Amino acid sequence: DTGVSQNPRHKITKRGQNVTFRCDPISEHNRLYWYRQTLGQGPEFLTYFQNEAQLEKSRLLSDRFSAERPKGSFSTLEIQRTEQGDSAMYLCASSGGRSYEQYFGPGTRLTVT
Amino acid sequence: AQRVTQPEKLLSVFKGAPVELKCNYSYSGSPELFWYVQYSRQRLQLLLRHISRESIKGFTADLNKGETSFHLKKPFAQEEDSAMYYCALSGIGGYQKVTFGTGTKLQVIP
């Protein structure tokens, strides 16, 4: 499968714990995006990388959230001290070259109990 | 601030009937407009982009800058069109973040 992959697909954690998600973009894509989607809502932008540089962060991304993309390949999204309000589907997407099209991964569903 | 509004959460139509999914937007400048679709148990994927002016799976969308609308239309609905549809916008070039609407679930009744 040469599409965007995300791991884990599901994560259940207790409030206050830290979690980390991984996204592997399509190999030749230099742009990578993280979104969050809650029930009944569309995806909400969190952050965007071009290669290894984090170019934009949403105000939704509180100081408990951090994202990295070392070497401009895979990316990780870490949430520290999780809260119940963090329960959501976390989506990763990538795009590359002159193409505007963002290719989405299957998402990681986070449940904070 | 950029915003996308999809007023209908659910739209039910009979097979063969016309479909129109409404989308209005708010953006300072000239945005790129998109429609994304998510079929059951599949990933979110791009359906069409306003600038390409093409018809995908029989769907078209016209950008009306005066009304700030980008409604999605299809003359004859098919059962396989049943899915969640999201209207979205981005800045010029479309490489930046995408702002999505809340989505409309299209249900095509056989």
Side-chain angles (χ1 to χ4, degrees), chain A residues 1 3-5 31 33 35 37 40-45 48 56 91 95 97-102 104-106, chain B residues 1 9 34 36 38 43-46 48-49 51-52 54 86 90 93-103:
Chain A
D1 186 0
V4 177
S5 62
R31 294 183 291 273
Y33 311 80
Y35 295 87
Q37 186 173 23
Q41 300 297 315
E44 295 174 292
F45 171 79
Y48 154 51
E56 189 172 354
L91 296 168
S95 68
R98 289 175 170 266
S99 174
Y100 53 85
E101 182 171 356
Q102 293 187 19
F104 281 81
Chain B
K9 282 196 174 294
F34 308 90
Y36 279 80
Q38 189 166 26
R43 304 177 183 201
L44 192 62
Q45 58 186 285
L46 181 67
L48 56 79
R49 177 190 184 200
I51 206 166
S52 59
E54 53 189 349
Y86 295 95
S90 181
Y95 302 134
Q96 303 91 345
K97 68 179 184 182
V98 175
T99 297
F100 288 85
T102 51

Side-chain angles (χ1 to χ4, degrees), chain A residues 10-101:
Chain A
H10 304 274
K11 178 71 178 178
I12 300 174
T13 192
K14 292 186 176 180
R15 189 172 47 140
Q17 297 295 304
N18 299 344
V19 294
T20 300
F21 309 140
R22 176 177 170 129
C23 170
D24 287 89
I26 293 171
S27 59
E28 61 268 27
H29 284 180
N30 60 334
R31 294 183 291 273
L32 187 148
Y33 311 80
W34 284 99
Y35 295 87
R36 181 174 69 185
Q37 186 173 23
T38 53
L39 200 61
Q41 300 297 315
E44 295 174 292
F45 171 79
L46 292 179
T47 191
Y48 154 51
F49 290 86
Q50 181 157 305
N51 300 314
E52 64 275 10
Q54 189 173 20
L55 296 187
E56 189 172 354
K57 290 170 59 173
S58 165
R59 286 172 295 174
L60 291 174
L61 216 64
S62 75
D63 56 6
R64 295 186 298 107
F65 288 70
S66 63
E68 294 183 342
R69 193 182 182 199
K71 303 178 184 177
S73 56
F74 71 91
S75 176
T76 58
L77 177 68
E78 181 183 15
I79 309 175
Q80 296 183 326
R81 305 181 303 281
T82 52
E83 301 173 355
Q84 286 190 318
D86 298 330
S87 295
M89 177 74 85
Y90 289 83
L91 296 168
C92 176
S94 70
S95 68
R98 289 175 170 266
S99 174
Y100 53 85
E101 182 171 356

Side-chain angles (χ1 to χ4, degrees), chain B residues 65-85:
Chain B
K65 292 184 179 180
E67 295 182 358
T68 59
S69 67
F70 188 56
H71 303 326
L72 184 68
K73 300 178 183 180
K74 184 170 183 177
F76 308 105
Q78 303 298 315
E79 287 181 66
E80 56 265 30
D81 297 329
S82 295
M84 279 295 294
Y85 290 81

